[in-house]
Amino acid sequence: MSLSRKRFLQDETPTHKRVSHDFPTIAKLYGVIAEASHISIPRKSGGVVLGRSSACDLRISGTDVSSKHCQFSLACNEAGREFLYVTDMSSNGTFVNDELIGKASTTLLKSGDKLQFAKTGGAYIFRYAVDEVEDRNRKKSFFDDYIMGAPLGSGHYAVVKEARDRHSGDVVAVKIFHPNKGSNNVNTQKQEEETAKLQQEMNLLLSFNHPNIVKFISYYVEPISQHSVTTYLVLEKMNDGELFQRIVNKSKLGQLETKAIFRQLLSGLSYLHDNNIIHRDIKPENILLDITPRTSSEQIQTGPWDEHELDIKVKIADFGLAKFIGELKFTNTLCGTPAYVAPEILDNSNERTYSTKADIWSSGVLLYVCLCGFPPFSEELAPPSMKDQILEGKYAFYSPYWDDISDSALDLISSLLVVEPGQRFDVSQTARHFWFSESENSIEPSSSQISSEAMHVESIATSTSSIERTQLRSNTQPLSLREAYTSELNFQKSSVA
Ligand code: ADP
């Protein structure tokens, strides 16, 4: 038989049946229109090519389908679950959920995805053919457990979206980290050890449960191509944004409100420190709020909140983040915008040795910001540079901003913003400082109102003498969080326009 005759005969063979007998089916494509047949994708390690040509493993027809239209390839996540990703090889496009993949680009496939091959190659719903019983014993994909919802925001390392638990219906927040290099599926002993260590650390984070830390529900590491993975971190969803936005909206917070927020914050921080977790990125963007509205004036508020607020739950987010994005990247990002970063983390000569006291420094910066609306260390207050201000612990309580704030608050801040970690308060000393117990009944206490009764035996103060307020240099003006935020917004608007 001549070669051309052989080729002609192969072209006559029925579509997409060529390899399915030799290899088990890993997934199926179900035709969207009722009369369309299904295509079984075999589990073949070298990949499965789909297209119009007889040389393809799976054949489809269509006038604008390329001879080799796309390729399905195997990938494996850390839990041993196999996935397929599709590589577009076509001229007229392979579409996943109506989005063009793009020639030579890849997309990871999940059950329920709609695949379309050019205009005339047909539309299919993709499903993994996993054995149900076996699947129950295996770690599932994020998409097996959750339905992805609307975006909640995006940050340095990740986008955050809402998701719904398929089984319980609970709404959660899922943090989707930017793709990372995968392990290439080469299971050396070192990689196995690293995976086991990571798993152990994750299990510790998963076991954490405290009313003032954002609950870490689960995580999934999934391949998005042969060489990269994405991590999905499932978190308790917080409904009322960041403490940052509250400070921006109000310009600054009153002392009573700040105290109520700090009591919760310190309780969460104490829990983390007791579990040997150093947060390292305490800042108002990482303190999230859940507000219960007050529906009638008869309802008694749980704290010194605004009229319309019955209760505010304050929770610390983003602890253990370095585990997900890598130590180096995390520390470099921290030091890139150091407003809240402790001097011992910034100090390169220190070989970055730090302890839980680093979080106390950041809490001191946060307390300062809450009470006056601008940070104690910034380029606006230079010289010296912000970095040197931090390394030297050079800050001041500027008049008139600090005139009406009680000396005890200044005393506490002065015990937190101490360059030498050994001399700095720890979380328990901070929580016992007499600022927290003074003059609860007065609206906004000033220095003259610190009652002797408030100097409770349990309370701690470093000094009770009046703390000096400094005059700003005439050519210096601190930039409030609100001003910085507004100018950033205006900058973004003008760059879009
Ligand atoms: P990154 O750490 O990459 O900078 P962020 O933690 O800042 O990302 O999160 C980005 C956005 O998502 C922020 O607006 C943040 O408020 C929001 N967000 C983060 N975690 C949650 C959560 N658990 N619930 C609700 N919103 C969240």
Side-chain angles (χ1 to χ4, degrees):
M1 192 188 292
S2 75
L3 272 178
S4 59
R5 171 73 182 141
K6 189 174 168 197
R7 188 181 160 82
F8 174 76
L9 280 180
Q10 275 185 353
D11 282 349
E12 292 302 300
T13 52
T15 56
H16 50 77
K17 294 258 191 262
R18 299 185 58 244
V19 286
S20 52
H21 295 301
D22 307 332
F23 299 93
T25 297
I26 181 166
K28 280 189 178 173
L29 294 172
Y30 295 87
V32 167
I33 50 168
E35 59 270 26
S37 57
H38 305 328
I39 303 176
S40 295
I41 305 175
R43 189 196 168 289
K44 199 175 155 210
S45 54
V48 172
V49 179
L50 175 144
R52 206 160 37 84
S53 156
S54 60
C56 294
D57 302 298
L58 299 170
R59 292 184 58 206
I60 55 168
S61 52
T63 50
D64 61 349
V65 171
S66 297
S67 51
K68 287 186 177 176
H69 200 88
C70 63
Q71 172 162 336
F72 298 97
S73 309
L74 277 171
C76 196
N77 74 2
E78 295 191 351
R81 161 93 197 247
E82 282 183 329
F83 291 89
L84 284 178
Y85 60 92
V86 58
T87 308
D88 194 358
M89 303 157 85
S90 71
S91 309
N92 296 316
T94 304
F95 299 81
V96 175
N97 299 325
D98 298 323
E99 275 192 34
L100 177 69
I101 302 175
K103 200 155 188 173
S105 296
T106 62
T107 295
L108 182 82
L109 293 170
K110 47 194 190 305
S111 286
D113 279 344
K114 181 180 147 200
L115 260 105
Q116 180 153 358
F117 308 107
K119 281 205 176 86
T120 60
Y124 296 84
I125 299 296
F126 175 91
R127 285 216 174 280
Y128 286 101
V130 278
D131 176 340
E132 286 270 306
V133 181
E134 220 182 88
D135 196 40
R136 251 178 257 134
N137 301 327
R138 220 166 21 197
K139 183 145 172 69
K140 292 188 198 160
S141 148
F142 170 81
F143 296 93
D144 290 333
D145 292 339
Y146 294 94
I147 302 163
M148 193 70 92
L152 291 170
S154 66
H156 277 113
Y157 323 101
V159 293
V160 180
K161 291 187 177 177
E162 200 174 84
R164 186 180 291 273
D165 187 317
R166 285 182 191 273
H167 313 288
S168 66
D170 290 348
V171 175
V172 296
V174 54
K175 199 160 186 166
I176 308 156
F177 287 90
H178 302 323
N180 239 324
K181 279 216 170 76
S183 58
N184 252 351
N185 292 336
V186 186
N187 258 336
T188 62
Q189 196 188 346
K190 190 159 173 277
Q191 271 167 356
E192 274 175 27
E193 281 167 16
E194 273 173 16
T195 309
K197 188 165 164 254
L198 186 73
Q199 186 77 48
Q200 211 176 7
E201 288 170 345
M202 295 302 168
N203 289 345
L204 177 72
L205 297 182
L206 280 166
S207 71
F208 285 179
N209 194 4
H210 186 278
N212 301 114
I213 63 171
V214 172
K215 177 101 184 95
F216 175 29
I217 299 169
S218 59
Y219 80 103
Y220 302 78
V221 180
E222 306 203 350
I224 47 165
S225 74
Q226 203 170 13
H227 303 294
S228 58
V229 293
T230 286
T231 304
Y232 296 83
L233 187 59
V234 183
L235 301 161
E236 166 186 11
K237 185 184 169 229
M238 297 293 285
N239 295 307
D240 297 286
E242 303 166 358
L243 177 59
F244 176 84
Q245 200 58 49
R246 193 169 176 91
I247 302 170
V248 166
N249 293 346
K250 295 182 158 197
S251 292
K252 60 181 185 168
L253 307 182
Q255 285 196 74
L256 291 181
E257 183 177 335
T258 305
K259 258 184 229 186
I261 288 172
F262 261 73
R263 279 201 190 95
Q264 297 192 41
L265 174 71
L266 291 171
S267 176
L269 202 55
S270 166
Y271 182 85
L272 289 180
H273 289 181
D274 286 349
N275 282 289
N276 297 317
I277 299 284
I278 310 167
H279 189 292
R280 284 196 283 161
D281 200 14
I282 295 287
K283 58 183 180 186
E285 291 89 333
N286 283 337
I287 311 297
L288 301 184
L289 308 176
D290 243 347
I291 303 176
T292 310
R294 190 167 177 230
T295 47
S296 92
S297 53
E298 267 98 74
Q299 288 182 306
I300 298 168
Q301 293 172 292
T302 61
W305 315 125
D306 293 352
E307 274 293 313
H308 62 282
E309 296 166 340
L310 184 65
D311 181 39
I312 300 187
K313 292 270 178 295
V314 178
K315 304 202 186 198
I316 303 173
D318 271 1
F319 56 94
L321 206 59
K323 309 250 174 302
F324 295 95
I325 52 172
E327 182 62 34
L328 194 67
K329 197 169 166 188
F330 180 69
T331 315
N332 284 344
T333 314
L334 274 188
C335 297
T337 46
Y340 295 83
V341 174
E344 61 271 25
I345 293 186
L346 262 191
D347 185 1
N348 294 331
S349 64
N350 210 10
E351 287 186 358
R352 289 185 176 152
T353 48
Y354 49 82
S355 67
T356 50
K357 294 286 187 77
D359 290 339
I360 297 297
W361 174 280
S362 309
S363 304
V365 179
L366 179 61
L367 181 54
Y368 185 111
V369 169
C370 285
L371 292 174
C372 72
F374 58 87
F377 310 103
S378 68
E379 295 303 348
E380 283 71 29
L381 297 169
S385 69
M386 169 158 58
K387 186 174 175 189
D388 286 340
Q389 291 166 37
I390 296 168
L391 292 175
E392 292 162 23
K394 201 169 174 334
Y395 70 96
F397 299 109
Y398 297 107
S399 185
Y401 308 98
W402 288 88
D403 290 355
D404 295 331
I405 298 169
S406 63
D407 276 4
S408 57
L410 277 63
D411 181 88
L412 175 55
I413 293 170
S414 311
S415 307
L416 308 181
L417 297 182
V418 175
V419 173
E420 176 51 50
Q423 311 283 314
R424 202 180 296 155
F425 268 14
D426 63 17
V427 72
S428 131
Q429 287 170 306
T430 309
R432 284 184 291 134
H433 188 272
F434 73 99
W435 177 61
F436 287 103
S437 51
E438 76 172 5
S439 307
E440 282 290 318
N441 298 329
S442 66
I443 303 298
E444 288 296 347
S446 67
S447 55
S448 58
Q449 289 173 298
I450 303 174
S451 69
S452 55
E453 202 180 79
M455 307 284 287
H456 195 260
V457 271
E458 283 288 308
S459 302
I460 294 181
T462 47
S463 88
T464 52
S465 60
S466 173
I467 294 177
E468 214 182 299
R469 274 72 169 168
T470 311
Q471 293 300 325
L472 269 166
R473 286 190 300 252
S474 57
N475 57 349
T476 309
Q477 182 65 43
L479 189 66
S480 72
L481 251 57
R482 183 184 211 152
E483 289 159 341
Y485 179 74
T486 316
S487 73
E488 171 73 9
L489 269 189
N490 289 340
F491 174 74
Q492 282 173 7
K493 274 188 206 147
S494 68
S495 5
V496 170

